[in-house]
Protein backbone atom coordinates (compact mmCIF):
# COMPACT_ATOMS: atom_id res chain seq x y z
CA UNK A 1 0.00 0.00 0.00
CA UNK A 2 1.44 3.34 -1.00
CA UNK A 3 2.30 6.05 1.52
CA UNK A 4 -0.84 8.13 1.13
CA UNK A 5 -3.07 5.18 1.83
CA UNK A 6 -1.04 4.26 4.90
CA UNK A 7 -1.49 7.77 6.19
CA UNK A 8 -5.19 7.64 5.43
CA UNK A 9 -5.65 4.40 7.35
CA UNK A 10 -3.61 5.65 10.29
CA UNK A 11 -5.68 8.83 10.62
CA UNK A 12 -9.12 7.28 10.09
CA UNK A 13 -10.16 7.67 13.72
CA UNK A 14 -9.29 11.34 13.91
CA UNK A 15 -10.94 12.44 10.69
CA UNK A 16 -14.24 10.77 11.52
CA UNK A 17 -14.74 13.28 14.32
CA UNK A 18 -16.64 16.44 13.40
CA UNK A 19 -14.41 19.11 12.01
CA UNK A 20 -14.42 22.67 13.39
CA UNK A 21 -17.23 24.75 11.91
CA UNK A 22 -16.46 27.97 10.12
CA UNK A 23 -17.19 30.97 12.38
CA UNK A 24 -19.62 33.75 11.46
CA UNK A 25 -16.83 36.19 10.59
CA UNK A 26 -15.49 33.76 7.99
CA UNK A 27 -18.95 32.90 6.71
CA UNK A 28 -19.63 36.44 5.41
CA UNK A 29 -19.50 36.81 1.61
CA UNK A 30 -16.11 37.84 0.34
CA UNK A 31 -15.92 41.01 -1.77
CA UNK A 32 -13.64 39.07 -4.11
CA UNK A 33 -15.07 35.54 -4.22
CA UNK A 34 -12.72 32.79 -5.27
CA UNK A 35 -13.17 31.58 -8.83
CA UNK A 36 -14.72 28.17 -9.40
CA UNK A 37 -12.16 25.41 -8.97
CA UNK A 38 -10.64 24.09 -12.15
CA UNK A 39 -9.51 20.54 -12.90
CA UNK A 40 -5.79 19.78 -12.81
CA UNK A 41 -3.96 20.18 -16.08
CA UNK A 42 -2.64 16.64 -15.66
CA UNK A 43 -4.80 13.77 -14.49
CA UNK A 44 -4.62 9.99 -14.57
CA UNK A 45 -4.70 8.37 -18.00
CA UNK A 46 -6.10 5.01 -16.88
CA UNK A 47 -8.53 4.01 -19.61
CA UNK A 48 -7.01 6.22 -22.29
CA UNK A 49 -5.06 9.42 -22.84
CA UNK A 50 -8.13 11.53 -23.61
CA UNK A 51 -9.63 10.71 -20.22
CA UNK A 52 -6.70 12.47 -18.60
CA UNK A 53 -7.45 15.74 -20.37
CA UNK A 54 -9.51 18.50 -18.74
CA UNK A 55 -12.82 19.44 -20.31
CA UNK A 56 -15.38 17.47 -22.30
CA UNK A 57 -14.22 14.54 -24.39
CA UNK A 58 -16.58 13.19 -27.07
CA UNK A 59 -16.08 12.01 -30.66
CA UNK A 60 -19.35 12.31 -32.57
CA UNK A 61 -19.72 10.23 -35.70
CA UNK A 62 -22.31 10.69 -38.42
CA UNK A 63 -25.84 11.04 -37.06
CA UNK A 64 -24.78 11.19 -33.42
CA UNK A 65 -26.79 13.55 -31.21
CA UNK A 66 -25.01 16.44 -29.54
CA UNK A 67 -24.49 16.35 -25.80
CA UNK A 68 -27.15 17.95 -23.60
CA UNK A 69 -26.58 21.62 -22.85
CA UNK A 70 -27.86 21.43 -19.28
CA UNK A 71 -24.77 19.82 -17.73
CA UNK A 72 -23.03 21.54 -14.83
CA UNK A 73 -21.25 18.67 -13.07
CA UNK A 74 -17.59 19.25 -12.31
CA UNK A 75 -17.00 15.74 -13.55
CA UNK A 76 -19.13 13.16 -15.36
CA UNK A 77 -18.89 10.06 -17.51
CA UNK A 78 -21.22 7.84 -19.53
CA UNK A 79 -20.05 4.38 -20.54
CA UNK A 80 -21.26 1.12 -22.02
CA UNK A 81 -21.29 -1.47 -19.22
CA UNK A 82 -20.85 -4.42 -21.60
CA UNK A 83 -18.01 -3.28 -23.83
CA UNK A 84 -16.47 -0.87 -21.35
CA UNK A 85 -16.43 1.86 -24.01
CA UNK A 86 -16.50 5.38 -22.59
CA UNK A 87 -18.95 7.22 -24.86
CA UNK A 88 -18.26 10.69 -23.43
CA UNK A 89 -16.63 12.21 -20.37
CA UNK A 90 -15.93 15.53 -18.68
CA UNK A 91 -12.91 15.76 -16.36
CA UNK A 92 -13.24 12.00 -15.87
CA UNK A 93 -10.21 11.65 -13.56
CA UNK A 94 -10.69 14.80 -11.48
CA UNK A 95 -10.17 13.63 -7.89
CA UNK A 96 -13.14 14.95 -5.90
CA UNK A 97 -14.87 14.12 -2.63
CA UNK A 98 -17.20 11.17 -3.36
CA UNK A 99 -19.73 11.39 -0.49
CA UNK A 100 -21.83 8.24 -0.05
CA UNK A 101 -21.16 6.93 -3.54
CA UNK A 102 -18.05 5.54 -1.81
CA UNK A 103 -20.39 3.04 -0.15
CA UNK A 104 -20.34 1.18 -3.47
CA UNK A 105 -16.69 0.35 -2.82
CA UNK A 106 -17.52 -0.57 0.77
CA UNK A 107 -20.12 -3.02 -0.51
CA UNK A 108 -17.96 -4.39 -3.31
CA UNK A 109 -15.26 -5.09 -0.72
CA UNK A 110 -17.32 -6.58 2.12
CA UNK A 111 -20.44 -8.13 0.57
CA UNK A 112 -18.82 -11.52 -0.16
CA UNK A 113 -17.58 -11.88 3.42
CA UNK A 114 -20.72 -12.50 5.47
CA UNK A 115 -23.81 -14.65 4.82
CA UNK A 116 -27.10 -12.76 4.76
CA UNK A 117 -28.47 -14.65 7.73
CA UNK A 118 -25.54 -13.94 10.07
CA UNK A 119 -26.63 -11.88 13.09
CA UNK A 120 -24.72 -9.04 14.68
CA UNK A 121 -25.21 -7.59 18.16
CA UNK A 122 -24.49 -3.87 18.12
CA UNK A 123 -22.28 -3.25 21.15
CA UNK A 124 -22.20 -0.19 23.37
CA UNK A 125 -20.03 2.49 21.82
CA UNK A 126 -19.90 0.81 18.42
CA UNK A 127 -21.63 3.76 16.77
CA UNK A 128 -19.72 6.40 18.71
CA UNK A 129 -17.47 7.35 15.80
CA UNK A 130 -20.21 8.50 13.45
CA UNK A 131 -19.61 11.96 12.04
CA UNK A 132 -21.92 14.79 12.99
CA UNK A 133 -24.94 14.98 10.69
CA UNK A 134 -24.42 11.45 9.33
CA UNK A 135 -27.25 9.81 7.42
CA UNK A 136 -28.69 7.02 9.57
CA UNK A 137 -31.01 4.07 9.15
CA UNK A 138 -31.79 3.95 12.88
CA UNK A 139 -29.69 1.14 14.33
CA UNK A 140 -29.81 0.81 18.13
CA UNK A 141 -27.14 -0.45 20.51
CA UNK A 142 -27.69 -3.80 22.23
CA UNK A 143 -29.93 -4.94 19.36
CA UNK A 144 -29.42 -7.79 16.90
CA UNK A 145 -29.51 -7.22 13.14
CA UNK A 146 -28.92 -9.65 10.30
CA UNK A 147 -26.33 -8.91 7.64
CA UNK A 148 -29.25 -8.62 5.22
CA UNK A 149 -30.81 -5.91 7.39
CA UNK A 150 -27.56 -3.99 7.57
CA UNK A 151 -26.97 -4.01 3.82
CA UNK A 152 -30.49 -2.76 3.22
CA UNK A 153 -29.68 0.07 5.62
CA UNK A 154 -26.50 0.85 3.70
CA UNK A 155 -28.08 0.90 0.25
CA UNK A 156 -31.54 2.29 0.89
CA UNK A 157 -30.97 4.86 3.61
CA UNK A 158 -27.23 5.34 3.05
CA UNK A 159 -26.92 4.59 6.75
CA UNK A 160 -23.51 5.36 8.17
CA UNK A 161 -24.59 3.49 11.29
CA UNK A 162 -25.09 0.34 9.20
CA UNK A 163 -21.67 0.84 7.60
CA UNK A 164 -20.00 1.06 11.00
CA UNK A 165 -21.80 -2.04 12.25
CA UNK A 166 -20.58 -4.03 9.24
CA UNK A 167 -17.09 -2.58 9.60
CA UNK A 168 -17.08 -3.74 13.23
CA UNK A 169 -18.00 -7.23 12.05
CA UNK A 170 -15.06 -6.99 9.67
CA UNK A 171 -12.55 -6.19 12.39
CA UNK A 172 -12.92 -2.43 12.68
CA UNK A 173 -12.79 0.78 10.67
CA UNK A 174 -9.02 0.81 10.09
CA UNK A 175 -8.98 -2.74 8.75
CA UNK A 176 -11.96 -2.03 6.55
CA UNK A 177 -10.43 1.16 5.15
CA UNK A 178 -7.25 -0.75 4.32
CA UNK A 179 -9.21 -3.45 2.51
CA UNK A 180 -11.22 -0.86 0.59
CA UNK A 181 -8.03 0.83 -0.59
CA UNK A 182 -6.62 -2.52 -1.63
CA UNK A 183 -9.83 -3.30 -3.52
CA UNK A 184 -9.65 0.06 -5.29
CA UNK A 185 -6.12 -0.80 -6.43
CA UNK A 186 -7.31 -4.19 -7.69
CA UNK A 187 -10.06 -2.50 -9.72
CA UNK A 188 -7.52 0.03 -11.06
CA UNK A 189 -9.60 2.76 -9.43
CA UNK A 190 -6.38 4.62 -8.78
CA UNK A 191 -7.88 8.06 -8.18
CA UNK A 192 -9.57 6.71 -5.06
CA UNK A 193 -8.26 7.21 -1.52
CA UNK A 194 -10.47 5.94 1.30
CA UNK A 195 -10.30 7.48 4.76
CA UNK A 196 -13.83 6.90 6.09
CA UNK A 197 -15.66 3.76 4.93
CA UNK A 198 -19.04 5.50 4.80
CA UNK A 199 -18.00 8.36 2.51
CA UNK A 200 -18.23 10.98 5.28
CA UNK A 201 -16.10 14.01 4.37
CA UNK A 202 -12.50 13.51 5.47
CA UNK A 203 -9.23 15.22 4.47
CA UNK A 204 -7.59 13.33 1.64
CA UNK A 205 -10.63 11.22 0.79
CA UNK A 206 -11.22 11.39 -2.96
CA UNK A 207 -12.44 9.45 -5.94
CA UNK A 208 -13.38 10.33 -9.52
CA UNK A 209 -16.24 9.85 -11.94
CA UNK A 210 -14.10 7.26 -13.74
CA UNK A 211 -13.34 5.32 -10.57
CA UNK A 212 -16.91 5.35 -9.27
CA UNK A 213 -18.05 3.96 -12.61
CA UNK A 214 -15.44 1.18 -12.42
CA UNK A 215 -16.56 0.38 -8.88
CA UNK A 216 -20.23 0.27 -9.84
CA UNK A 217 -19.45 -2.00 -12.79
CA UNK A 218 -17.67 -4.39 -10.46
CA UNK A 219 -20.39 -4.29 -7.83
CA UNK A 220 -23.14 -5.03 -10.34
CA UNK A 221 -21.60 -8.43 -10.96
CA UNK A 222 -22.67 -9.46 -7.45
CA UNK A 223 -26.30 -10.64 -7.24
CA UNK A 224 -26.73 -9.29 -3.71
CA UNK A 225 -25.32 -5.90 -4.75
CA UNK A 226 -27.83 -5.77 -7.61
CA UNK A 227 -30.68 -6.72 -5.29
CA UNK A 228 -29.89 -4.12 -2.65
CA UNK A 229 -29.23 -1.19 -4.97
CA UNK A 230 -32.50 -1.78 -6.86
CA UNK A 231 -34.78 -2.19 -3.83
CA UNK A 232 -37.26 0.69 -3.64
CA UNK A 233 -38.53 0.16 -0.10
CA UNK A 234 -38.58 -2.43 2.66
CA UNK A 235 -39.29 -2.95 6.36
CA UNK A 236 -36.40 -2.46 8.80
CA UNK A 237 -36.27 -3.88 12.37
CA UNK A 238 -37.15 -1.48 15.15
CA UNK A 239 -36.12 -1.71 18.79
CA UNK A 240 -36.91 -5.08 20.37
CA UNK A 241 -38.33 -5.03 23.89
CA UNK A 242 -38.79 -7.98 26.27
CA UNK A 243 -42.11 -9.74 25.92
CA UNK A 244 -43.14 -7.87 22.80
CA UNK A 245 -42.97 -8.65 19.11
CA UNK A 246 -40.20 -6.71 17.46
CA UNK A 247 -41.65 -3.81 15.46
CA UNK A 248 -40.51 -2.71 12.02
CA UNK A 249 -40.57 0.56 10.14
CA UNK A 250 -40.45 1.34 6.44
CA UNK A 251 -37.32 2.63 4.76
CA UNK A 252 -37.15 3.94 1.20
CA UNK A 253 -34.26 4.18 -1.21
CA UNK A 254 -32.74 7.66 -1.46
CA UNK A 255 -32.03 7.20 -5.19
CA UNK A 256 -34.68 9.47 -6.68
CA UNK A 257 -34.29 8.12 -10.21
CA UNK A 258 -35.41 4.80 -8.75
CA UNK A 259 -38.20 6.01 -6.46
CA UNK A 260 -39.52 9.04 -8.28
CA UNK A 261 -39.52 11.01 -5.02
CA UNK A 262 -39.34 14.78 -4.58
CA UNK A 263 -40.59 15.56 -8.05
CA UNK A 264 -37.76 13.73 -9.83
CA UNK A 265 -39.19 11.55 -12.59
CA UNK A 266 -38.30 7.85 -12.20
CA UNK A 267 -35.97 6.83 -15.00
CA UNK A 268 -37.19 4.12 -17.35
CA UNK A 269 -34.87 1.13 -17.09
CA UNK A 270 -32.99 2.31 -13.99
CA UNK A 271 -31.45 -0.47 -11.91
CA UNK A 272 -29.48 1.41 -9.18
CA UNK A 273 -26.77 2.31 -8.10
CA UNK A 274 -25.92 4.94 -5.40
CA UNK A 275 -26.26 8.62 -4.59
CA UNK A 276 -24.53 10.82 -2.03
CA UNK A 277 -24.43 14.35 -0.67
CA UNK A 278 -22.09 16.12 1.74
CA UNK A 279 -21.08 19.73 2.25
CA UNK A 280 -17.68 19.25 0.63
CA UNK A 281 -18.66 16.79 -2.11
CA UNK A 282 -21.90 18.45 -3.12
CA UNK A 283 -24.20 15.92 -4.76
CA UNK A 284 -22.82 12.81 -6.45
CA UNK A 285 -24.57 9.97 -8.26
CA UNK A 286 -23.70 6.79 -10.12
CA UNK A 287 -26.48 4.98 -11.97
CA UNK A 288 -26.96 1.99 -14.23
CA UNK A 289 -29.84 1.61 -16.68
CA UNK A 290 -30.90 -0.79 -19.43
CA UNK A 291 -32.85 -0.22 -22.62
CA UNK A 292 -33.26 -2.57 -25.56
CA UNK A 293 -30.51 -4.88 -24.34
CA UNK A 294 -27.95 -2.13 -23.85
CA UNK A 295 -26.66 -1.34 -20.34
CA UNK A 296 -25.15 2.07 -19.60
CA UNK A 297 -23.35 3.43 -16.57
CA UNK A 298 -23.30 7.12 -15.70
CA UNK A 299 -21.62 9.12 -12.94
CA UNK A 300 -22.14 12.82 -12.17
CA UNK A 301 -20.15 14.65 -9.49
CA UNK A 302 -20.92 18.01 -7.90
CA UNK A 303 -23.19 19.86 -10.34
CA UNK A 304 -23.26 23.63 -9.84
CA UNK A 305 -26.76 24.11 -11.25
CA UNK A 306 -29.40 25.58 -8.93
CA UNK A 307 -31.95 23.21 -10.43
CA UNK A 308 -33.49 21.11 -7.63
CA UNK A 309 -31.87 17.67 -7.47
CA UNK A 310 -29.71 18.54 -10.46
CA UNK A 311 -27.45 15.51 -10.04
CA UNK A 312 -30.31 13.14 -10.93
CA UNK A 313 -31.62 15.26 -13.79
CA UNK A 314 -28.18 15.62 -15.34
CA UNK A 315 -27.59 11.88 -14.97
CA UNK A 316 -30.91 11.21 -16.72
CA UNK A 317 -29.96 13.56 -19.57
CA UNK A 318 -26.65 11.78 -20.00
CA UNK A 319 -28.35 8.39 -20.02
CA UNK A 320 -30.85 9.58 -22.62
CA UNK A 321 -27.97 10.86 -24.73
CA UNK A 322 -26.01 7.64 -24.25
CA UNK A 323 -28.85 5.42 -25.43
CA UNK A 324 -29.45 7.69 -28.45
CA UNK A 325 -25.74 7.95 -29.26
CA UNK A 326 -24.76 4.30 -28.81
CA UNK A 327 -23.26 3.00 -32.03
CA UNK A 328 -22.96 6.54 -33.39
CA UNK A 329 -19.97 7.78 -31.40
CA UNK A 330 -16.36 6.69 -31.34
CA UNK A 331 -15.20 5.79 -27.81
CA UNK A 332 -12.91 8.27 -26.08
CA UNK A 333 -11.59 5.65 -23.67
CA UNK A 334 -12.48 2.44 -21.88
CA UNK A 335 -13.34 1.10 -18.48
CA UNK A 336 -10.36 -1.11 -17.68
CA UNK A 337 -10.88 -4.55 -16.12
CA UNK A 338 -9.55 -5.46 -12.67
CA UNK A 339 -5.91 -6.42 -12.48
CA UNK A 340 -6.75 -10.06 -11.89
CA UNK A 341 -9.33 -10.35 -14.69
CA UNK A 342 -8.35 -12.55 -17.62
CA UNK A 343 -9.79 -10.81 -20.66
CA UNK A 344 -7.13 -11.53 -23.26
CA UNK A 345 -6.47 -7.82 -23.62
CA UNK A 346 -4.26 -5.45 -21.69
CA UNK A 347 -5.40 -2.10 -20.31
CA UNK A 348 -5.00 0.68 -22.88
CA UNK A 349 -2.55 2.63 -20.73
CA UNK A 350 -0.29 2.05 -17.78
CA UNK A 351 -1.95 3.05 -14.50
CA UNK A 352 -0.90 6.43 -13.20
CA UNK A 353 -1.76 8.39 -10.06
CA UNK A 354 -1.69 12.17 -9.98
CA UNK A 355 -0.39 13.78 -6.82
CA UNK A 356 -3.35 16.08 -6.28
CA UNK A 357 -4.42 16.72 -2.68
CA UNK A 358 -7.85 17.86 -1.55
CA UNK A 359 -8.41 20.64 1.03
CA UNK A 360 -10.05 20.05 4.38
CA UNK A 361 -13.79 19.46 4.41
CA UNK A 362 -16.77 20.26 6.55
CA UNK A 363 -18.97 17.63 8.10
CA UNK A 364 -21.74 15.62 6.46
CA UNK A 365 -24.85 17.72 5.79
CA UNK A 366 -28.42 17.02 4.87
CA UNK A 367 -29.06 16.92 1.14
CA UNK A 368 -31.50 19.80 1.42
CA UNK A 369 -28.69 22.07 2.60
CA UNK A 370 -26.73 21.43 -0.58
CA UNK A 371 -29.60 21.50 -3.07
CA UNK A 372 -31.39 24.41 -1.47
CA UNK A 373 -34.64 22.47 -1.37
CA UNK A 374 -36.66 20.93 1.42
CA UNK A 375 -37.13 17.20 1.54
CA UNK A 376 -40.58 16.03 0.47
CA UNK A 377 -42.42 13.07 1.87
CA UNK A 378 -42.07 9.55 0.59
CA UNK A 379 -45.33 9.54 -1.34
CA UNK A 380 -43.57 9.88 -4.67
CA UNK A 381 -42.14 6.41 -4.35
CA UNK A 382 -45.40 4.86 -5.47
CA UNK A 383 -44.88 6.11 -9.00
CA UNK A 384 -41.90 3.81 -9.40
CA UNK A 385 -43.56 0.54 -8.43
CA UNK A 386 -44.68 -0.30 -11.94
CA UNK A 387 -41.23 0.57 -13.26
CA UNK A 388 -39.29 -1.70 -10.94
CA UNK A 389 -41.56 -4.70 -11.37
CA UNK A 390 -39.39 -6.02 -14.20
CA UNK A 391 -36.04 -5.17 -12.65
CA UNK A 392 -35.14 -8.78 -11.90
CA UNK A 393 -34.93 -9.48 -15.61
CA UNK A 394 -33.06 -6.24 -16.28
CA UNK A 395 -30.52 -6.87 -13.56
CA UNK A 396 -29.93 -10.44 -14.65
CA UNK A 397 -29.27 -9.15 -18.16
CA UNK A 398 -26.93 -6.48 -16.85
CA UNK A 399 -24.90 -9.04 -14.94
CA UNK A 400 -24.71 -11.28 -18.00
CA UNK A 401 -23.56 -8.48 -20.25
CA UNK A 402 -20.92 -7.26 -17.83
CA UNK A 403 -19.67 -10.75 -17.08
CA UNK A 404 -19.11 -11.37 -20.77
CA UNK A 405 -16.37 -8.76 -20.52
CA UNK A 406 -14.67 -10.59 -17.66
CA UNK A 407 -14.62 -14.35 -18.37
CA UNK A 408 -14.35 -16.55 -15.31
CA UNK A 409 -10.98 -18.07 -14.58
CA UNK A 410 -10.51 -21.74 -15.32
CA UNK A 411 -11.76 -23.92 -12.52
CA UNK A 412 -14.28 -21.34 -11.27
Amino acid sequence: MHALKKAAVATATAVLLPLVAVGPALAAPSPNPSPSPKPPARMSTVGGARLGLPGTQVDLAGGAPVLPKELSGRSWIVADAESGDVLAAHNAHWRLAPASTLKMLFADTLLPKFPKTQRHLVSTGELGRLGEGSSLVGIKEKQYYTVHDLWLGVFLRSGNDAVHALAEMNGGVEKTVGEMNARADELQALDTEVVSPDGYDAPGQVSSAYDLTLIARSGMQNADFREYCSTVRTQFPGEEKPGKKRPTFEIQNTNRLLTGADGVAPYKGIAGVKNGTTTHAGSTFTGVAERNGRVLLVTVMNPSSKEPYAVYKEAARLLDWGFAAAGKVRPVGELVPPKSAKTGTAPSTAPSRPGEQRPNVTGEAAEAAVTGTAKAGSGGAGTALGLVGGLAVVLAAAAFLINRRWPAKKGQ
Side-chain angles (χ1 to χ4, degrees):
M1 186 182 296
H2 57 79
L4 183 54
K5 284 193 174 177
K6 286 184 178 179
V9 173
T11 58
T13 301
V15 298
L16 288 175
L17 297 176
L19 300 176
V20 178
V22 178
L26 297 179
S30 170
N32 298 304
S34 300
S36 299
K38 297 186 181 300
R42 295 181 60 188
M43 294 179 282
S44 168
T45 57
V46 172
R50 289 189 65 174
L51 299 182
L53 298 176
T56 300
Q57 306 300 319
V58 66
D59 196 351
L60 301 177
V66 297
L67 284 164
K69 293 181 179 179
E70 303 88 354
L71 298 174
S72 66
R74 289 186 182 176
S75 176
W76 54 258
I77 191 170
V78 56
D80 187 301
E82 176 186 9
S83 67
D85 290 341
V86 176
L87 306 184
H90 180 75
N91 302 325
H93 281 291
W94 192 356
R95 306 178 85 201
L96 300 167
S100 286
T101 49
L102 195 64
K103 289 182 172 76
M104 295 188 298
L105 180 59
F106 176 77
D108 191 54
T109 304
L110 264 64
L111 258 175
K113 290 194 167 194
F114 308 108
K116 287 183 176 183
T117 55
Q118 184 172 336
R119 300 175 76 216
H120 174 65
L121 176 63
V122 179
S123 61
T124 302
E126 188 170 309
L127 306 178
R129 296 171 61 182
L130 293 172
E132 183 179 6
S134 285
S135 52
L136 306 172
V137 68
I139 288 174
K140 303 294 183 183
E141 293 180 343
K142 300 181 181 179
Q143 297 285 306
Y144 279 99
Y145 298 89
T146 66
V147 167
H148 181 67
D149 295 331
L150 295 173
W151 282 119
L152 286 169
V154 169
F155 276 91
L156 272 68
R157 294 305 304 166
S158 203
N160 290 3
D161 48 356
V163 168
H164 279 254
L166 287 161
E168 188 70 19
M169 292 180 65
N170 191 51
V173 167
E174 287 78 9
K175 179 175 183 288
T176 300
V177 166
E179 291 179 359
M180 289 173 68
N181 279 314
R183 180 61 179 164
D185 280 341
E186 159 62 17
L187 295 178
Q188 301 199 65
L190 304 182
D191 298 322
T192 300
E193 303 286 350
V194 182
V195 178
S196 60
D198 48 20
Y200 189 89
D201 284 338
Q205 180 156 274
V206 290
S207 190
S208 67
Y210 183 87
D211 281 14
L212 292 173
T213 307
L214 279 187
I215 292 163
R217 190 181 188 218
S218 176
M220 289 298 289
Q221 294 190 83
N222 183 302
D224 290 334
F225 189 106
R226 298 194 301 273
E227 174 193 344
Y228 293 132
C229 78
S230 64
T231 299
V232 174
R233 62 168 66 87
T234 193
Q235 293 295 312
F236 193 82
E239 187 173 0
E240 188 171 19
K241 297 182 179 180
K244 295 184 179 181
K245 182 180 178 180
R246 189 171 190 178
T248 62
F249 57 93
E250 184 176 280
I251 58 174
Q252 178 179 297
N253 204 307
T254 56
N255 177 354
R256 287 161 178 79
L257 288 187
L258 185 66
T259 65
D262 298 318
V264 178
Y267 192 81
K268 182 180 179 181
I270 194 73
V273 175
K274 191 72 187 74
N275 56 296
T277 302
T278 66
T279 300
H280 184 47
S283 295
T284 61
F285 176 72
T286 297
V288 62
E290 185 273 348
R291 287 186 186 175
N292 301 319
R294 187 180 295 276
V295 184
L296 296 183
L297 286 159
V298 64
T299 296
V300 177
M301 301 187 76
N302 201 345
S304 60
S305 170
K306 300 302 182 184
E307 181 181 26
Y309 303 107
V311 74
Y312 301 103
K313 296 175 183 179
E314 295 187 16
R317 290 171 192 139
L318 284 170
L319 285 169
D320 284 344
W321 175 85
F323 286 120
K328 301 175 183 177
V329 294
R330 290 176 286 267
V332 295
E334 68 168 342
L335 300 177
V336 296
K339 291 178 180 178
S340 60
K342 303 298 184 183
T343 64
T345 59
S348 60
T349 59
S352 63
R353 280 188 184 272
E356 181 192 13
Q357 288 280 351
R358 294 291 298 157
N360 286 345
V361 296
T362 58
E364 174 110 11
E367 185 159 353
V370 176
T371 62
T373 58
K375 280 189 175 288
S378 60
T383 62
L385 291 182
L387 167 68
V388 299
L391 272 182
V393 175
V394 171
L395 292 170
F400 170 72
L401 291 172
I402 296 171
N403 275 318
R404 284 171 55 187
R405 179 70 170 175
W406 300 344
K409 297 178 182 179
K410 292 183 178 180
Q412 291 186 341

